[in-house]
Amino acid sequence: MVYTEAMNNANNAPFDYDDLLARATTVFQPRTPITSRDLFAGRWNELMAVVDAVNQVGLHAVIFGERGVGKTSLANVVTPTVFALDDPNSESLNPKGRVIVKTVSTTSDTFASIWVKVFKDITLINNRPVAGFYPGPKERVSILEAYGLGSALTVDDVRRVLTNIPDSVFIVDEFDRVPPATMKEFTDLIKTLSDFSVNSTVVLVGVSDTVSNLVADHASIVRAISQIFLRRMLPIELRRILTNAEEKLGIEFADGAAQLIVHVSQGLPHYTHLIGLHAVRVAATARTAPIVSRQDVFVALDRATTQAEQSTRDRHSRAIHSSHKDALYRQILLACAVAAAQEQDPLGYFTPSAVIAPLSSILGRPVEIATFNSHLSAFSQLERGNVLERDGQPRAYRFRFQDPMVVPFTFMDAVANGIVNEDHLASLLIE
């Protein structure tokens, strides 16, 4: 329940700010993927798409999207969700006795090394496959030993093992990092599992704009996979993260504060968690009531950008550098950041026309695309740090920030350098 001053007076109990500071990091988790369904806001449709793939023999799943949209967090909540939906009335945590294993791939992984890692997490206890730790003195046999397998696993080796572990699910995160040869063997495996109707599910998770960039070499594999594109989150979904924090921490985000966090986050939950955490900390140390104000958010943005990686700072510095005092690089980059924060494109793109209104407001005069078109092109070049990524054809280009952290950094730089004040920036983002 959200805290109100009336509730506090009725209870006649002071608010525990030390406790709020301690618990804030359990709700806002910008540095690590979410692992609890209770803290996982939105994404229900995507999560159900994974569950549907798990429950259909011969169907597998590929989760793909930009870095930072929450792919790993989605993968982390697959296990508890599948268990819960297997039998909602069961008191057992795993009513069907499923084996669900998640592993993270690296740039040096081969097909065989990934499956060796997976199979090391599975042991046979009384001839029953069990994943992870299992208490008790019962006799254990590694699944590799049980099947007489070494480390040079083939597609057919894996297929035979999975055939004997029905209802199992195997999640391979950061799949985009593996070499092309490894990707090809995984597509071979999925095709084989589908052809043999093996009742096990492979879930691949990776950074990609399209599934064809992540999984290739088998045209027919499309029929065997559920393509789950994790778009950037909608404002209402990001707001749900803050609502969850309000309920769990007993605080309240003022409307202007919540709107500012949502817009600056650009559809990426990582930034909602990051800025939300800092904003709560600011409010907890500076207020007599646990209400997060818009001013708290601006201080939080300043702290978040202060902790930005040096690569973000360097990219921003290269983008706006000019020996001419009247150059507009800083103002135009700010307008691009506003356009990026306002747009709801699933991949974070904005068009040149979206820059017109914010730049006109920043400069205090009407502008046309011709005013800044050459700057957009320059921002997409190495000389300006490739701060923007350009896509499309001439006269139909669209742009997005290569490093989303440059966006909030640009906002705070603009305030610090007097390009806009906080009220003006808030009006640009929230109007």
Side-chain angles (χ1 to χ4, degrees):
M1 182 178 294
V2 176
Y3 170 91
T4 65
E5 191 66 37
M7 288 170 53
N8 189 48
N9 291 336
N11 294 333
N12 197 28
F15 193 84
D16 191 337
Y17 292 100
D18 290 336
D19 178 66
L20 174 60
L21 286 169
R23 291 190 298 121
T25 54
T26 67
V27 175
F28 290 110
Q29 300 179 10
R31 301 300 179 191
T32 57
I34 303 301
T35 57
S36 168
R37 282 189 301 148
D38 292 338
L39 302 178
F40 188 67
R43 306 303 200 197
W44 182 251
N45 290 338
E46 292 87 350
L47 188 55
M48 287 302 97
V50 179
V51 174
D52 288 343
V54 169
N55 289 324
Q56 295 184 49
V57 177
L59 186 62
H60 305 269
V62 176
I63 303 171
F64 63 104
E66 291 179 273
R67 193 171 302 281
V69 295
K71 298 179 298 299
T72 297
S73 292
L74 179 68
N76 284 345
V77 297
V78 166
T79 299
T81 303
V82 169
F83 287 166
L85 294 179
D86 276 342
D87 185 353
N89 298 316
S90 175
E91 295 182 0
S92 171
L93 293 177
N94 184 5
K96 292 186 69 172
R98 291 184 188 269
V99 169
I100 301 182
V101 178
K102 177 175 177 284
T103 191
V104 178
S105 53
T106 68
T107 54
S108 61
D109 264 326
T110 63
F111 175 85
S113 69
I114 290 174
W115 283 104
V116 167
K117 287 192 292 186
V118 168
F119 289 156
K120 282 183 176 179
D121 280 339
I122 305 173
T123 54
L124 290 180
I125 299 178
N126 294 340
N127 291 321
R128 183 168 70 91
V130 175
F133 175 75
Y134 195 88
K138 298 179 180 180
E139 182 180 353
R140 299 167 178 270
V141 179
S142 75
I143 203 162
L144 290 173
E145 181 183 353
Y147 284 89
L149 298 172
S151 59
L153 298 175
T154 67
V155 167
D156 210 43
D157 290 332
V158 175
R159 190 264 306 170
R160 284 197 297 270
V161 174
L162 300 195
T163 299
N164 290 285
I165 313 178
D167 298 315
S168 53
V169 182
F170 303 96
I171 303 168
V172 183
D173 199 2
E174 301 200 23
F175 185 72
D176 54 293
R177 301 178 66 190
V178 304
T182 303
M183 289 187 180
K184 183 181 184 306
E185 287 188 273
F186 265 90
T187 58
D188 289 337
L189 174 66
I190 289 176
K191 178 70 165 55
T192 300
L193 295 176
S194 180
D195 288 347
F196 280 82
S197 296
V198 176
N199 188 17
S200 289
T201 306
V202 174
V203 180
L204 305 179
V205 185
V207 176
S208 182
D209 284 356
T210 65
V211 72
S212 60
N213 291 338
L214 193 62
V215 179
D217 296 321
H218 268 309
S220 60
I221 197 180
V222 174
R223 297 193 298 270
I225 58 174
S226 176
Q227 302 180 32
I228 303 169
F229 171 58
L230 219 58
R231 53 169 173 73
R232 293 194 178 199
M233 296 181 78
L234 299 174
I236 191 172
E237 294 170 328
L238 294 176
R239 182 63 178 90
R240 201 171 301 149
I241 295 174
L242 302 179
T243 300
N244 178 74
E246 289 176 324
E247 294 172 350
K248 290 190 174 298
L249 298 176
I251 60 171
E252 181 178 347
F253 285 91
D255 287 342
Q259 286 181 298
L260 189 58
I261 293 174
V262 166
H263 278 84
V264 171
S265 297
Q266 315 152 74
L268 301 174
H270 164 79
Y271 297 110
T272 305
H273 281 269
L274 178 65
I275 299 167
L277 174 61
H278 282 292
V280 168
R281 285 174 172 171
V282 172
T285 55
R287 295 269 182 259
T288 56
I291 298 175
V292 180
S293 70
R294 195 183 73 181
Q295 180 59 36
D296 294 329
V297 177
F298 275 111
V299 176
L301 278 172
D302 189 32
R303 291 186 180 180
T305 53
T306 298
Q307 297 175 10
E309 295 181 1
Q310 189 61 43
S311 59
T312 299
R313 295 173 174 276
D314 290 344
R315 182 167 281 177
H316 177 270
S317 178
R318 290 181 65 182
I320 65 171
H321 175 73
S322 177
S323 57
H324 303 288
K325 66 176 183 178
D326 295 329
L328 296 177
Y329 288 107
R330 187 176 248 120
Q331 291 88 338
I332 293 172
L333 190 65
L334 172 61
C336 290
V338 171
Q342 289 178 333
E343 290 291 285
Q344 295 184 17
D345 183 88
L347 290 172
Y349 285 102
F350 61 90
T351 61
S353 61
V355 180
I356 295 175
L359 184 58
S360 297
S361 178
I362 292 165
L363 296 179
R365 59 180 172 83
V367 300
E368 299 178 348
I369 291 178
T371 306
F372 56 84
N373 205 32
S374 62
H375 295 74
L376 295 183
S377 179
F379 286 148
S380 305
Q381 305 301 317
L382 181 61
E383 182 181 356
R384 294 277 164 194
N386 294 119
V387 68
L388 295 183
E389 176 183 333
R390 186 172 67 182
D391 182 60
Q393 303 298 321
R395 297 186 179 276
Y397 283 131
R398 57 180 187 161
F399 301 84
R400 70 177 176 186
F401 281 81
Q402 284 205 6
D403 177 0
M405 193 62 199
V406 172
V407 174
F409 190 92
T410 299
F411 294 151
M412 296 316 302
D413 171 82
V415 172
N417 285 277
I419 306 301
V420 292
N421 60 33
E422 292 178 354
D423 289 337
H424 189 182
L425 178 59
S427 69
L428 287 170
L429 293 171
I430 299 173
E431 67 181 9

